[in-house]
Amino acid sequence: MLLAPAAQAVERVIDLTPRPGAVLRLLADQPSTPAKGTVILLAGGNGILDLSAEGKIGGLGGNQLIRSRQAYVTAGYAYLAPDIASDLKSQNGYRYKPEFANDMALVVAEARKLGLPVHAVGTSRGAVSVAALFNATRPERPDSAVITSGMLISQKIPAADTLGPSQIRVPVLLLYHRDDACAVTPPGDGPRYKALLINAPRVDIQTLSGGAAPKGDPCEAAHYHGFWGMDGDVVKAVTAWLDEIK
């Protein structure tokens, strides 16, 4: 157990063994009162949190989902924030590999231990992580999927649409910032991806606006792409939708 300095929350580290010799490390926390569900927070970028055995985040600590993880606890949700398995971290395109899909399903299986609804939440390139989960050979699936500022439609590089959107058979929320200027996550891709989700029982698209003055790269977490200055609004939108679909 350890203290998360930002919120003085008690987080724990879970080590899973997806394959012999490989470690898949998760950071986890839950409310002190009964939780409504569990969210699996799938970071964008390279996805590598570099979690230490003590739970220190070595990479992507500023990612929108990771930096706002305690807000989900405050909203009544437990969370699991997975790193990338140790044997996949050095592999290019690991999100498109079957091993990764099964790793994500293993995380769902871990989340199921709380006996609560499980929701996969991915941001930016984490949209590919969400899509991969529905291609796993393992049977575990989440009860819904949320994608924020998602890399949904392939352009110069592959995106979530390459991983069989028709395999997704749960409710989906696509959440965007109106002014997202990242070239690979245009808000206009939301309706295009929705049209591919032919087996999802419900697909909602929401667009937020506002926030603090953006800084730096338009594809990074301190810009509109990362809902800079709007973490509370994002968590409120996501959890309100989760509360509605239960």
Side-chain angles (χ1 to χ4, degrees):
M1 308 290 280
L2 60 108
L3 291 178
Q8 295 299 304
V10 178
E11 295 180 301
R12 61 193 178 105
V13 173
I14 302 170
D15 282 352
L16 306 178
T17 306
R19 290 165 294 282
V23 176
L24 175 55
R25 183 162 288 163
L26 321 174
L27 194 60
D29 197 8
Q30 63 191 82
S32 57
T33 55
K36 301 175 183 179
T38 301
V39 290
I40 298 173
L41 304 178
L42 302 169
N46 64 12
I48 299 174
L49 303 184
D50 271 337
L51 291 174
S52 72
E54 297 76 30
K56 182 178 179 181
I57 299 173
L60 295 178
N63 180 267
Q64 198 280 320
L65 288 179
I66 303 305
R67 73 183 184 225
S68 63
R69 64 193 185 278
Q70 287 301 327
Y72 285 94
V73 177
T74 301
Y77 284 82
Y79 72 77
L80 297 178
D83 202 349
I84 305 306
S86 57
D87 60 337
L88 296 183
K89 287 183 178 181
S90 62
Q91 297 189 29
N92 292 328
Y94 67 82
R95 284 184 170 100
Y96 300 93
K97 296 180 182 295
E99 294 89 348
F100 177 73
N102 285 321
D103 288 355
M104 293 299 95
L106 184 62
V107 175
V108 173
E110 183 66 25
R112 290 285 180 206
K113 292 180 180 180
L114 291 180
L116 301 167
V118 176
H119 312 285
V121 185
T123 192
S124 192
R125 199 181 296 261
V128 182
S129 301
V130 173
L133 205 163
F134 292 90
N135 287 265
T137 56
R138 287 183 61 105
E140 297 88 355
R141 299 290 186 273
D143 297 297
S144 76
V146 176
I147 297 172
T148 70
S149 298
M151 202 174 84
L152 300 177
I153 303 296
S154 299
Q155 298 179 46
K156 293 181 180 179
I157 54 177
D161 61 340
T162 66
L163 291 175
S166 63
Q167 300 299 315
I168 299 177
R169 302 175 184 273
V170 299
V172 177
L173 171 64
L174 304 176
L175 182 68
Y176 274 95
H177 192 291
R178 181 192 64 191
D179 299 315
D180 187 349
C182 182
V184 295
T185 63
D189 280 355
R192 296 174 64 192
Y193 191 67
K194 178 178 180 177
L196 302 177
L197 297 171
I198 58 176
N199 290 314
R202 171 176 176 173
V203 182
D204 294 318
I205 300 175
Q206 294 186 27
T207 303
L208 301 180
S209 62
K215 301 184 291 186
D217 190 326
C219 291
E220 294 295 337
H223 215 280
Y224 295 124
H225 176 75
F227 301 94
W228 188 238
M230 298 184 66
D231 288 345
D233 299 280
V234 174
V235 173
K236 182 178 179 180
V238 171
T239 56
W241 185 81
L242 296 179
D243 292 345
E244 180 183 335
I245 66 168
K246 66 181 180 180

